[in-house]
Amino acid sequence: MTSGKPARRVLVVSGGNQVYDYISELLPHDEFDPITHVTDAGEAKRLLLSSEYDILIINTPLSDEFGTELALNYADSPLGILLLCKSDLFEQVCYKVEDSGILTISKPVNRNLFYGAIKLLTAVGAKLGRLEKTNQSLKEKMADIRVVNRAKWLLIEHLGMNEKDAHYYIEKQAMNTRLSRRETAEQIIRTYDQ
């Protein structure tokens, strides 16, 4: 890989090989690899359970469902999802899936538009990944604060400390034992929360 970025894993769900071949030829393999092909939604669901992908491309209609159902099933996942549909169904399909963050392109597919959509999915996916990491970090910090606050209130209740002294006690214990504030607070909770 020339850029040093990890390659995006792509799953193409299409009844025939023509769309898969087109996508495989269009996407640079140093940026998108592997590009896997399955022919129906059932196969795609089984594969998505056992493997991780970054981008899901669905060429509608599929043999076992139209394709919007599959897309909507994975709308809350970190997958970037692109639906390809006939131009006479474009508005209807867009209306059904766009609020879920699913991109739709009408067929026949323009190469530049298609590649631009894939790059957009890649950029949005990267941004969402960073936001998810930030969100997880904030959740962990909030959990730490709740545990430390619970320990403070137990020290106040059982040892008659004020909040400032309880806070200082937790900080000092954490430094002395070389544990995190949360680990120290959890020890205090185990000791006094009966």
Side-chain angles (χ1 to χ4, degrees):
M1 273 174 258
T2 57
S3 66
K5 296 180 197 176
R8 303 288 178 185
R9 298 157 300 204
V10 180
L11 177 59
V12 178
V13 187
S14 177
N17 287 334
Q18 186 177 4
V19 169
Y20 169 72
D21 292 341
Y22 176 79
I23 291 169
S24 191
E25 173 198 321
L26 182 64
L27 298 179
H29 287 279
D30 62 332
E31 293 180 47
F32 302 94
D33 187 55
I35 302 172
T36 307
H37 177 234
V38 294
T39 58
D40 60 46
E43 283 183 88
K45 289 175 188 175
R46 283 188 292 280
L47 201 51
L48 288 166
L49 283 173
S50 63
S51 303
E52 287 188 28
Y53 289 92
D54 301 301
I55 298 172
L56 173 62
I57 302 170
I58 303 169
N59 180 32
T60 65
L62 302 174
S63 61
D64 54 350
E65 67 177 62
F66 183 75
T68 54
E69 301 85 358
L70 175 63
L72 290 169
N73 282 343
Y74 291 93
D76 290 334
S77 75
L79 280 168
I81 303 172
L82 178 63
L83 274 173
L84 307 175
C85 69
K86 292 181 181 177
S87 58
D88 58 332
L89 297 173
F90 178 76
E91 290 295 327
Q92 181 182 352
V93 171
C94 271
Y95 181 79
K96 188 172 184 178
V97 301
E98 67 188 358
D99 289 341
S100 298
I102 298 167
L103 293 181
T104 307
I105 296 179
S106 66
K107 298 186 280 188
V109 177
N110 173 292
R111 290 176 75 86
N112 291 335
L113 177 64
F114 178 80
Y115 189 69
I118 294 295
K119 294 304 271 184
L120 178 64
L121 285 174
T122 301
V124 169
K127 185 170 188 148
L128 288 175
R130 285 192 309 277
L131 289 173
E132 181 59 33
K133 284 181 184 175
T134 300
N135 188 30
Q136 189 60 37
S137 174
L138 290 173
K139 284 180 181 179
E140 289 170 11
K141 287 178 184 177
M142 295 282 291
D144 289 351
I145 289 169
R146 281 194 287 279
V147 170
V148 169
N149 282 340
R150 176 73 180 130
K152 278 191 223 178
W153 289 111
L154 287 170
L155 291 172
I156 290 167
E157 181 183 326
H158 291 277
L159 300 181
M161 294 181 178
N162 63 36
E163 187 176 359
K164 182 178 177 183
D165 290 341
H167 181 82
Y168 177 77
Y169 178 82
I170 293 169
E171 292 281 333
K172 183 88 169 124
Q173 284 296 107
M175 269 196 309
N176 290 344
T177 58
R178 295 184 181 168
L179 296 173
S180 69
R181 287 180 27 187
R182 181 178 181 147
E183 291 168 320
T184 302
E186 287 170 343
Q187 288 179 346
I188 292 167
I189 291 169
R190 281 192 296 275
T191 302
Y192 294 106
D193 196 14
Q194 311 271 334

